[in-house]
Amino acid sequence: MKKLVLICWILLLQLAVFSQARVTRIITDYNGYFSSQSNNINSILPDNSHNLLGFTYNGTTYSTGVDDSKLTSNGVSFVPQTFRAIPLNNVPVSGGGSYFVGLGQLYDGINNGVNNSSSQPFQGSPVSASTLASFLTDGINGLNIGTGLANIPAGSVLQFNLGASGISASAIGDGIPDILFVQIADPSSIGDRLKFVNSSGATVGTEFTFNLTSNTLFPRLANWRADFYNVNSTQNSTSFINTIRPIVMLALDLSQLGITATNYTQVTQLVYTTSGQSDPAFVAFNEPSVNLPTRLGISAQPTIYQTNQVLNPAFQVRLLNSFNQPVLQPNVAITVTVESGNGQVAGTLTQVTDANGIAFFHDLSLNGNNTHTLRFSSSSLSPAISDPLIYSTLLPLNWQSFSGQDKGDFIQLNWSTSQEQQTFDFVIERSTNSQQWQAIGQLPAAGSAQVVRQYTWNDQQPLKGTNFYRIVQRDLNGRQTTSKTIKVQYHREAAILVRVLSNPVIGGQLQLELSMPTTIQLITSGGALILTKPLPAGRSSISLDHQAAGIYYLKAGKKIVPLVLQ
């Protein structure tokens, strides 16, 4: 009996929450401008793609960031926000006879009919996971209401890593929606589920089920005309052609997912689980609130190209959030196309991100004979446009050789070039994984030379284990080429260089500089260990204002530096 009473109280509490926080109006760009609300449903039935411009939630109208100027020009007062569809890249490709792609009935260009070609209006034989996922992420910021999926097979668990900023504390319980869910067919009580988890996979807060069956809590906002294609791009049943379906919408604050001021820092992932009976147009998040990937950024690229030659260095494209922080999300597909220029790009045009959220395009080439830019795109993310790639019949130099050798206390790098043309310098880069690179040195180039030139540079601080090296050559015109990558094993512990920037230490602040990440120790003159602290490479500041004046010893690796604390 007590359990039944508790359940009733929970249901009443949920009812109270949602009755005060319903979506009652949507505004889209269908035919330029379209508005419909629960107590006055627009008689116009959208029949093609259209993007969500804004919505009214709990009596307040919010924009989505798609086109705020259109809201203003139509006299809509709103609170500006920026929403983006969760960047789905794959969903199941099979799921029985009830799994459909929902499209505005004129999306295929056929009124009151369908195109039963296996490749139109989408590639359906075979269909790919990314093709199906695209119907949940298309449109501006992925907010197209006129496409979606119906009855995504149950049990698919889709996980999305958050960036370093995680959840924004100020967004919790502020009344501004953080998650949007748009339902475009027939709501079911068995809905998809959404939750946040920590680094161990344990749920943080509560898992939410998208049950939008209650017309009181989730009123119908508009109706639309849809064709529901099978996932193989065919449809023979007239009951799924030019059918009228409702549009229903749910908006959630983070607090409704059980996120609080005491647990939000634990969140590392968003997990979306399909039920087999939900019909989403998209699931979206508020960019400043939930730091999922929002855009792509290019972290490395070439500046010149020769026709049909592999671009060097390889493009590196990474996932970023709205704070320009890297998001370490693997298996996100990124595709390259030509943005400008008279040629075509060839090679492996789609790559997936690694565990660091980076995709490497190793074998791209261009034809044509002028300046090009390339576009890198992925689902609902804002694309990245490359810097110009300049056509050249001559490279600044020809690489002849590049090698490295363990010399005991250092690694010696040797390379040779020929036919240097206006070369400026060489930048030596090192990596532990051949993917993330750090510049560790620089050497002037010859400038111009028709003969073979030999160069040598010593890495005085190699890392124990595997060291990858490459040389980036820069010329006087700002162009550059990159050598091949070599690998050198180093078996000794590298010596740590430590420099105390102020000794005696005045004002209780120890300023020091380290050549590599190191755990330092502070020891009294009597031999007592009073501080152990891991520090990054570069400059650091440590407060010693609670220590008595006297002689101390700073230990970093095998290096010991006497300190005077005044």
Side-chain angles (χ1 to χ4, degrees):
M1 183 67 181
K2 291 182 179 178
K3 184 176 181 180
L4 179 61
V5 171
L6 178 60
I7 292 174
C8 291
W9 272 109
I10 292 173
L11 292 174
L12 288 171
L13 179 62
Q14 290 179 338
L15 179 65
V17 169
F18 284 114
S19 65
Q20 297 299 317
R22 298 182 303 163
V23 177
T24 54
R25 180 191 186 191
I26 59 168
I27 305 169
T28 80
D29 59 5
Y30 179 74
N31 283 345
Y33 180 82
F34 172 84
S35 176
S36 183
Q37 55 196 59
S38 58
N39 61 358
N40 187 20
I41 293 179
N42 196 322
S43 61
I44 295 173
L45 304 178
D47 55 10
N48 213 325
S49 293
H50 56 131
N51 299 290
L52 182 66
L53 301 180
F55 59 95
T56 300
Y57 166 79
N58 199 23
T60 300
T61 298
Y62 298 93
S63 76
T64 61
V66 167
D67 191 346
D68 287 3
S69 63
K70 186 163 290 185
L71 294 175
T72 300
S73 65
N74 282 276
V76 179
S77 298
F78 60 90
V79 177
Q81 300 294 314
T82 303
F83 287 88
R84 185 178 300 271
I86 292 174
L88 293 164
N89 268 266
N90 59 80
V91 294
V93 297
S94 62
S98 62
Y99 188 18
F100 299 116
V101 175
L103 304 172
Q105 77 98 11
L106 287 182
Y107 182 98
D108 53 15
I110 302 173
N111 186 29
N112 198 25
V114 294
N115 184 334
N116 273 322
S117 163
S118 62
S119 60
Q120 294 294 331
F122 58 92
Q123 180 63 50
S125 183
V127 70
S128 69
S130 59
T131 294
L132 293 179
S134 70
F135 295 114
L136 300 176
T137 60
D138 56 346
I140 302 173
N141 290 356
L143 304 185
N144 182 4
I145 294 181
T147 63
L149 298 178
N151 303 322
I152 303 171
S156 298
V157 180
L158 308 172
Q159 296 176 292
F160 308 92
N161 291 342
L162 275 64
S165 295
I167 296 291
S168 174
S170 61
I172 301 170
D174 63 357
I176 299 174
D178 303 303
I179 302 291
L180 303 180
F181 179 85
V182 174
Q183 170 88 21
I184 55 169
D186 301 312
S188 167
S189 60
I190 306 174
D192 294 351
R193 306 192 306 276
L194 191 74
K195 65 179 179 179
F196 291 104
V197 301
N198 61 21
S199 58
S200 300
T203 300
V204 180
T206 56
E207 185 173 55
F208 187 89
T209 299
F210 295 116
N211 176 358
L212 275 63
T213 55
S214 170
N215 190 59
T216 300
L217 300 180
F218 312 107
R220 179 176 303 198
L221 302 172
N223 297 308
W224 70 306
R225 290 188 181 273
D227 293 335
F228 286 91
Y229 277 85
N230 297 309
V231 295
N232 65 358
S233 189
T234 67
Q235 183 54 267
N236 295 314
S237 173
T238 57
S239 61
F240 293 109
I241 299 172
N242 195 15
T243 179
I244 299 176
R245 299 300 175 96
I247 298 174
V248 180
M249 186 171 166
L250 166 70
L252 291 174
D253 185 278
L254 287 168
S255 60
Q256 291 169 278
L257 286 159
I259 302 303
T260 68
T262 58
N263 67 14
Y264 79 96
T265 58
Q266 302 171 27
V267 173
T268 61
Q269 281 188 333
L270 178 70
V271 178
Y272 182 75
T273 305
T274 58
S275 68
Q277 298 189 32
S278 284
D279 313 312
F282 57 77
V283 183
F285 64 99
N286 199 333
E287 283 190 14
S289 305
V290 184
N291 286 291
L292 292 167
T294 61
R295 67 184 189 87
L296 302 175
I298 298 172
S299 52
Q301 73 153 88
T303 57
I304 61 175
Y305 77 95
Q306 290 183 305
T307 300
N308 297 325
Q309 298 296 310
V310 173
L311 296 174
N312 190 5
F315 273 93
Q316 297 181 25
V317 184
R318 73 181 312 151
L319 305 176
L320 300 171
N321 65 15
S322 58
F323 294 101
N324 205 34
Q325 298 169 327
V327 180
L328 311 184
Q329 176 76 37
N331 302 318
V332 174
I334 299 175
T335 300
V336 59
T337 55
V338 172
E339 174 74 5
S340 66
N342 66 350
Q344 295 179 319
V345 61
T348 307
L349 303 184
T350 297
Q351 299 281 5
V352 297
T353 56
D354 61 13
N356 295 304
I358 302 175
F360 296 85
F361 291 81
H362 296 288
D363 62 351
L364 298 182
S365 63
L366 278 167
N367 59 22
N369 57 2
N370 68 353
T371 299
H372 289 73
T373 58
L374 300 182
R375 171 186 286 260
F376 295 86
S377 55
S378 177
S379 63
S380 61
L381 305 180
S382 296
I385 308 300
S386 73
D387 290 335
L389 291 100
I390 302 169
Y391 169 75
S392 176
T393 57
L394 290 175
L395 294 174
L397 55 74
N398 290 325
W399 295 98
Q400 296 295 309
S401 65
F402 180 31
S403 62
Q405 186 177 4
D406 181 353
K407 292 292 188 178
D409 292 332
F410 60 91
I411 288 178
Q412 185 179 86
L413 303 177
N414 298 288
W415 66 95
S416 61
T417 68
S418 66
Q419 297 181 346
E420 293 190 31
Q421 304 288 333
Q422 294 187 312
T423 54
F424 174 66
D425 69 356
F426 299 95
V427 177
I428 298 90
E429 295 186 339
R430 185 178 65 199
S431 172
T432 58
N433 58 11
S434 76
Q435 296 178 1
Q436 287 77 47
W437 295 91
Q438 178 183 16
I440 59 171
Q442 179 267 346
L443 198 66
S448 293
Q450 299 304 311
V451 298
V452 174
R453 294 294 302 264
Q454 303 287 342
Y455 296 90
T456 297
W457 190 86
N458 296 331
D459 182 1
Q460 301 288 352
Q461 293 291 316
L463 305 175
K464 184 178 181 180
T466 302
N467 292 262
F468 293 92
Y469 295 97
R470 70 182 185 185
I471 310 296
V472 178
Q473 179 276 324
R474 302 183 296 189
D475 74 4
L476 295 171
N477 296 322
R479 301 179 304 174
Q480 67 182 42
T481 60
T482 305
S483 72
K484 68 178 182 180
T485 297
I486 64 170
K487 179 171 64 175
V488 183
Q489 294 290 333
Y490 190 71
H491 301 289
R492 298 189 181 187
E493 290 283 357
I496 298 170
L497 298 181
V498 58
R499 185 163 67 100
V500 177
L501 303 180
S502 177
N503 195 2
V505 178
I506 301 173
Q509 292 297 315
L510 170 61
Q511 306 285 337
L512 69 155
E513 189 172 68
L514 296 169
S515 61
M516 65 180 66
T518 306
T519 296
I520 62 98
Q521 294 179 330
L522 191 65
I523 303 168
T524 68
S525 58
L529 176 63
I530 59 172
L531 176 67
T532 299
K533 187 176 184 65
L535 296 175
R539 294 194 175 190
S540 297
S541 178
I542 300 173
S543 175
L544 300 179
D545 55 6
H546 60 291
Q547 301 295 338
I551 304 295
Y552 294 84
Y553 296 95
L554 173 69
K555 184 178 180 182
K558 297 180 180 180
K559 186 76 171 179
I560 298 177
V561 180
L563 297 177
V564 177
L565 180 59
Q566 293 187 347

